[in-house]
Amino acid sequence: MKKQPEITMQTRKNLADAFWQIYCEKRIEKITVKDITTKAGYNRSTFYEYFTDVYDVLEQIESSVLPDIEKHKKIVPNKYMQFPLKHLVEVYSKNKEYFIVLLGKNGDPAFQEKMKNTYKDLVRPLLQSYESDEYILEYGLEYGMSAIIGMITYCFTREEHPDIERMVRLLDNFMNDGILKNFILIKKTGQTSD
């Protein structure tokens, strides 16, 4: 007898939610299948219908909060070479509770790299039309994505209610004008170029 899709989805969600609650408090190597099934109220065999192990649960959660490349291909830098900052912040805002943990000090060190690579793949096609030197292209993507993700992570893990609009303007200024130019402007005028 086949299970109804709604029940299957809810069971998977309950197990993933139980894992997440534990993961927010414990490092993954300390989490057991028994911890998850006890918290979720299921037996071990039910867990293994949906996941291979605790790392599979984490992988599926991470995949669910990263943007789908095919779906987001239209979100690319504009003709002025600006990165899709607002889109990136929207993705962060929507999944804030996950990003704070995954990118935090006890999170998955590989997640930041996965996120960077996802956005590099999204932005690379447009930048290739401007830059034929692969070395410059790849280093530029690494620099840009590292800076953007680092600054957004810093903002979301330091502030309860971050001023997202201000941060996006500042990121945009840093990406387009450079950091030093903005510091000099602040020193002269007392305000950023936003």
Side-chain angles (χ1 to χ4, degrees), residues 96 155-156 158-162:
K96 180 181 175 183
C155 176
F156 275 83
R158 300 280 182 304
E159 301 176 34
E160 182 64 31
H161 302 289

Side-chain angles (χ1 to χ4, degrees), residues 3 7-16 18 33-47 50:
K3 293 182 183 177
I7 294 171
T8 301
M9 282 177 37
Q10 188 60 52
T11 303
R12 177 186 296 277
K13 182 181 180 332
N14 292 344
L15 288 163
V33 171
K34 184 175 183 191
D35 293 336
I36 299 167
T37 55
T38 299
K39 187 159 198 74
Y42 295 101
N43 59 41
R44 290 175 65 85
S45 63
T46 301
F47 175 89
Y50 300 94

